[in-house]
Amino acid sequence: MSKRRWVILLVAALVFSMTVGQAAWAAQEAAKEKTPAKGAVPAGLETTAEAAVLLEPVTGKIAYEKEMDKRLPMASVTKLMTLLVATDAVEKGDFKLTDNVVTSENAWEMGGSQIYLEIGEEMSLWDMLAAIGLQSANDACVAVAEHIMGSEEAFVEAMNDKAKSLALENTNFVNCHGLTADNHYTSAYDLAQILKEGLKNPLFRKITAMKEYDLRGGAFKLWNTNKLLWWYDGADAGKTGWTEAAKYCLASSAERNGLRFICVVLGTEQVRSHFSESMKIFDYGYARYKSVNFAEQGAGVGQLKVSKGQSDMVEVQALDKVSVIVSKGEEKGFEPKLELPESINAPVQKGQEVGSYVVSKNGQEVLRVKLVAGADVPKASLGQQMRRVLDSVY
């Protein structure tokens, strides 16, 4: 074999070995990319929020959480509790929305977000509450607090009492507006519970759902700072917050196809990131879960016989929504039933507990909701009872 042929064969062998080696190296690298590192966790939902939670309020299911019990500042999301205490006072009849609230010097001095109240300026309680819910007005917060409790300090005490009544272990209020203060904190989970409680109050729901409002006869336009009301399908309540210490925060609620979620994000860094992170977490929940609904809160679900009453029957209503949250694909197999006595003796009071609505699956109870009487049924007089007996005979 000539020297020239030996050179050609040698070069070809070298090229072949390099090609095979490169292919093997590429295959190894590809395998490395597809093989998770030892101890790696499968990819899931991630959020830039320092703390977050996604709560389904009917069953209390936590669909997602990150450091949900961590104590953090919450800026103006504080005002959810301010609104809750104030609207509860109105619902109880202690105050009227038409009440005139007078601005004190203390309220006038408040900085940050405001509606620029003047000392001595009078405004209806309704206007003040709208300014708190939409504009996040710190001056209105103090004015309302003083109107309802006599002083901001007394109002803050009522806020903390309400937190204790809700068994919130990681919440403490120092003021009613959320400006940075020592020992003023909450957690993502606790805020979700506050919003859950607020949604039970029709006035609270109305205020937090409003997108806009004309104040001072239209001279001052209020726009809700919770942009999810425009940007996210089903969003219907919530409150934003920002301070340098708390960063961007948002507690919000949305409902789709009978399934409600409450989402809270605390401590997001970037402008509008509290909105984008909340929408991402909501999407996570709606992509994975579905609500199996049996009865709405207050809905009539049956009739119960009444003995010795002015009426023979009373409507039975569900005290709370009868609903089960499940992973998609697991909606079938639930069995609902009413647990009721054969009859109940008069007198019957509206709202009186009379039984239970029970939902089971595979023989196991998964949900129990109280059933109550839907109306008053006074006891029949002796004459009425005698006539009823005669009518049944003849």
Side-chain angles (χ1 to χ4, degrees), residues 306-310 344-349 352 375-380:
V306 179
S307 297
K308 301 178 181 179
Q310 292 184 10
I344 186 172
N345 291 327
V348 178
Q349 293 183 332
Q352 177 181 331
D376 292 329
V377 181
K379 188 173 183 178

Side-chain angles (χ1 to χ4, degrees), residues 272-339:
R272 294 188 174 182
S273 58
H274 49 328
F275 299 128
S276 59
E277 292 302 299
S278 295
M279 289 190 287
K280 179 169 66 176
I281 294 171
F282 274 128
D283 285 345
Y284 176 90
Y286 285 117
R288 286 160 177 76
Y289 296 100
K290 185 174 181 178
S291 181
V292 182
N293 302 311
F294 298 95
E296 294 298 320
Q297 183 180 23
V301 295
Q303 297 283 327
L304 178 61
K305 185 178 179 180
V306 179
S307 297
K308 301 178 181 179
Q310 292 184 10
S311 298
D312 292 332
M313 306 291 289
V314 66
E315 184 182 57
V316 175
Q317 298 177 348
L319 181 61
D320 296 304
K321 184 175 181 179
V322 185
S323 176
V324 179
I325 180 174
V326 297
S327 298
K328 287 188 174 180
E330 299 180 3
E331 302 93 334
K332 297 181 179 180
F334 290 98
E335 299 176 356
K337 70 174 182 178
L338 303 183
E339 290 187 353

Side-chain angles (χ1 to χ4, degrees), residues 71-191:
R71 295 180 175 182
L72 292 168
M74 62 294 202
S76 284
V77 189
T78 295
K79 295 179 176 77
L80 285 179
M81 182 60 92
T82 303
L83 286 171
L84 178 55
V85 172
T87 55
D88 276 353
V90 174
E91 290 294 316
K92 291 175 183 176
D94 297 334
F95 297 88
K96 296 180 180 179
L97 294 176
T98 54
D99 288 350
N100 280 331
V101 179
V102 182
T103 304
S104 68
E105 184 175 355
N106 187 35
W108 169 76
E109 288 178 340
M110 293 306 305
S113 179
Q114 56 187 297
I115 53 172
Y116 306 99
L117 293 169
E118 295 291 341
I119 298 175
E121 182 178 356
E122 294 186 10
M123 189 174 288
S124 72
L125 179 56
W126 165 247
D127 282 350
M128 289 279 192
L129 292 175
I132 295 170
L134 279 72
Q135 187 73 17
S136 197
N138 296 329
D139 48 1
C141 282
V142 176
V144 167
E146 293 173 341
H147 179 76
I148 290 178
M149 291 294 179
S151 70
E152 182 185 1
E153 292 76 16
F155 190 88
V156 170
E157 184 177 350
M159 293 169 67
N160 284 317
D161 287 344
K162 186 67 174 180
K164 290 176 183 176
S165 73
L166 297 175
L168 307 184
E169 299 179 354
N170 296 299
T171 295
N172 187 68
F173 298 104
V174 175
N175 57 57
C176 62
H177 41 71
L179 291 177
T180 303
D182 293 339
N183 210 35
H184 186 91
Y185 59 82
T186 190
S187 68
Y189 176 81
D190 284 5
L191 274 178

